[in-house]
Amino acid sequence: MHCFSLPSSRLLLLSPAKTTLKSPCHVSPRMFFNDGSNNSGDGNGNLNPINNIAKLLWGASLPPGLLISTVRSTWTSTWQIMMSQLAPSDPSGGYTRPPSKFRLNGQNPTAKLHLYVALPCPWAHRTLIVRALKGLEEAVPVSVAAHGFDGSWEFKDIPDKDNGMDNDTLVPTADKVNRCRNLKEVYKQRKGGYDGRVTVPMLWDVENKEVVCNESYDIIEFFNSGLNGLALNPGLDLSPVELKEEIEEWNRVIYPNVNNGVYRCGFAQSQEAYDVAVTGLFSTLDRIDDHLDSSRYLCGDRLTLADVCLFTTLIRFDLIYNVLFKCTKKKLLEYPNLHGYMRDIYQIPKVGGTCNFPETMDGYYRMLFPLNPGGIRPVMPSGCEHNFLSTPPKRESMSSASVGKNVQHVL
């Protein structure tokens, strides 16, 4: 799975409906230039012409009903056009995620590799966590794209002193390999070019200038077992043979209902599609919360790829999905086991450094224009702040006396 950039689109500018005035309108300077007590400016003495035109036409009353209905109808039609490109849907209006184009298909590439990610993306976040836990930072360098104003993934070289984060937290970077301005340019450098959806994460063959893979689960499986000769922590196995079937069972539950389920809620284009998605999401969260009442991780004492995949959705839940994607039935904070489980994983060394919450919020609230046209980013919930997430979850007692070697390797 992957995160995509928004398609380019032109904005439609609408002309207000004609308004018939019953009597001549005499415009005096005071209608536009007043004492500033009516909030028609920006607070710095700069007048807002849109507010003043509205005052001239309608005074203190609401705009005419015809204008409201016209703008609403036009906005709805424009929204549907934009959503059809952003989030393809089935006949019921349910979001249908396009499949990844570049797959590993069980192969382990031996080329010099480079990883492209974006910090808001939960699918890219999976790869960063496994890369960190396995100790692959030197073996697989990374370039971190940021959201662009036009919806693209673009590269920014932000000096450490200006990024506002500590040195252990990932921040957007320049393209360290191809020196491209945005991710679309990187994709186009492959042989034959590329005109498809530009997504992260993406694993790149540096020498042959080719996309190796842009399917997140393929990449984390490869990082887990395919690069042990280069990994600093080769003994860590997040997908041991004896747990593979159980991991796959959890993935079959979590992916459609939670990982993709939050997107099915947020990108639903009908009430019916939203109702189906939100019901599946919260019934699954209830089930997982019950399971975690007696199990430290999904598969017992051992941290696995299933936990990594669930974590990257949970860490964004109260921050993003509860608000922007209308996953409002409950906050994650209201699930005592799930929230403690999330904090438990967050506190594993190196995991917290892959979480850049301001960048994540910007990527959703300011990039997903159809869902948040004003681009206003809400304040961060206190339960999502680092200090709160660092409070002891006290879940170690759930591990048996013979705590899995897997967890010992992580810690």
Side-chain angles (χ1 to χ4, degrees):
M1 294 299 108
H2 50 254
C3 285
F4 45 83
S5 57
L6 291 177
S8 299
S9 58
R10 296 178 182 273
L11 298 179
L12 302 177
L13 300 179
L14 308 176
S15 300
K18 293 182 179 179
T19 303
T20 302
L21 301 177
K22 294 184 178 180
S23 59
C25 177
H26 300 285
V27 181
S28 70
R30 292 190 63 181
M31 298 178 105
F32 285 91
F33 303 99
N34 49 50
D35 62 3
S37 62
N38 60 0
N39 296 320
S40 60
D42 62 3
N44 296 316
N46 299 317
L47 298 176
N48 185 328
I50 296 178
N51 286 352
N52 285 316
I53 291 172
K55 278 181 160 301
L56 171 65
L57 294 174
W58 307 301
S61 64
L62 292 172
L66 177 60
L67 176 61
I68 293 175
S69 61
T70 300
V71 171
R72 179 174 182 174
S73 176
T74 305
W75 164 246
T76 300
S77 299
T78 305
W79 177 84
Q80 290 172 338
I81 293 171
M82 295 184 72
M83 287 297 291
S84 68
Q85 295 296 312
L86 170 66
S89 64
D90 60 26
S92 72
Y95 172 54
T96 303
R97 184 176 293 275
S100 301
K101 182 175 178 60
F102 302 94
R103 303 292 304 270
L104 285 179
N105 296 317
Q107 299 179 357
N108 285 350
T110 57
K112 183 179 179 182
L113 300 172
H114 191 83
L115 180 64
Y116 285 97
V117 299
L119 298 174
C121 175
W123 317 100
H125 195 182
R126 300 173 169 187
T127 66
L128 289 172
I129 291 174
V130 177
R131 170 180 173 267
L133 294 181
K134 291 289 292 187
L136 289 169
E137 294 94 331
E138 296 297 325
V140 186
V142 65
S143 291
V144 182
H147 68 284
F149 182 76
D150 61 353
S152 65
W153 293 122
E154 63 182 31
F155 298 103
K156 304 174 182 178
D157 195 3
I158 304 175
D160 291 342
K161 63 182 180 63
D162 296 332
N163 61 44
M165 307 300 292
D166 60 66
N167 293 333
D168 294 330
T169 302
L170 286 169
V171 296
T173 68
D175 177 2
K176 299 176 182 178
V177 173
N178 295 295
R179 305 299 175 188
C180 292
R181 294 173 301 173
N182 55 57
L183 192 62
K184 185 175 183 179
E185 291 183 1
V186 180
Y187 269 84
K188 283 183 172 294
Q189 289 203 10
R190 65 180 297 268
K191 295 175 182 178
Y194 183 72
D195 292 319
R197 291 167 75 88
V198 174
T199 66
V200 289
M202 188 265 278
L203 199 58
W204 178 258
D205 181 334
V206 176
E207 295 173 350
N208 296 314
K209 290 190 175 294
E210 184 59 73
V211 177
V212 175
C213 183
N214 64 355
E215 165 54 50
S216 66
Y217 204 80
D218 286 0
I219 295 174
I220 62 175
E221 284 191 311
F222 172 57
F223 282 0
N224 178 61
S225 60
L227 293 172
N228 280 335
L230 301 174
L232 299 180
N233 195 6
L236 172 65
D237 189 355
L238 298 170
S239 185
V241 174
E242 66 272 20
L243 292 178
K244 271 191 179 297
E245 185 175 342
E246 189 174 357
I247 292 170
E248 291 173 0
E249 288 177 1
W250 276 117
N251 287 341
R252 284 192 289 268
V253 171
I254 291 169
Y255 167 70
N257 296 301
V258 181
N259 297 147
N260 201 43
V262 293
Y263 283 87
R264 289 170 54 224
C265 293
F267 290 169
Q269 295 177 49
S270 72
Q271 186 67 50
E272 175 190 2
Y274 169 78
D275 290 343
V276 170
V278 80
T279 299
L281 168 64
F282 283 99
S283 64
T284 303
L285 290 178
D286 290 341
R287 172 184 169 184
I288 298 172
D289 191 67
D290 289 342
H291 173 76
L292 292 173
D293 188 51
S294 58
S295 181
R296 185 175 183 184
Y297 300 113
L298 291 174
C299 299
D301 291 340
R302 303 192 66 163
L303 184 80
T304 68
L305 293 181
D307 297 298
V308 173
C309 293
L310 178 58
F311 171 81
T312 59
T313 297
L314 298 184
I315 199 68
R316 289 164 173 76
F317 198 88
D318 289 357
L319 195 69
I320 308 293
Y321 306 136
N322 178 257
V323 179
L324 188 63
F325 283 7
K326 308 180 186 72
C327 303
T328 50
K329 185 177 180 180
K330 293 174 74 173
K331 293 181 179 295
L332 195 73
L333 193 60
E334 297 176 62
Y335 287 101
N337 297 316
L338 270 170
H339 200 272
Y341 161 86
M342 179 189 72
R343 299 201 316 275
D344 196 9
I345 297 175
Y346 178 82
Q347 292 173 32
I348 294 173
K350 293 187 176 182
V351 172
T354 66
C355 304
N356 184 325
F357 298 131
E359 184 66 25
T360 297
M361 293 185 75
D362 279 351
Y364 279 92
Y365 289 106
R366 293 178 176 167
M367 184 171 178
L368 294 180
F369 167 77
L371 301 185
N372 189 32
I376 296 173
R377 191 184 88 179
V379 66
M380 184 184 298
S382 58
C384 298
E385 293 176 350
H386 173 73
N387 289 342
F388 189 89
L389 293 174
S390 299
T391 57
K394 300 179 181 178
R395 293 181 59 81
E396 298 88 343
S397 60
M398 294 183 179
S399 296
S400 62
S402 57
V403 176
K405 293 181 180 179
N406 175 285
V407 177
Q408 294 296 329
H409 276 301
V410 172
L411 300 177

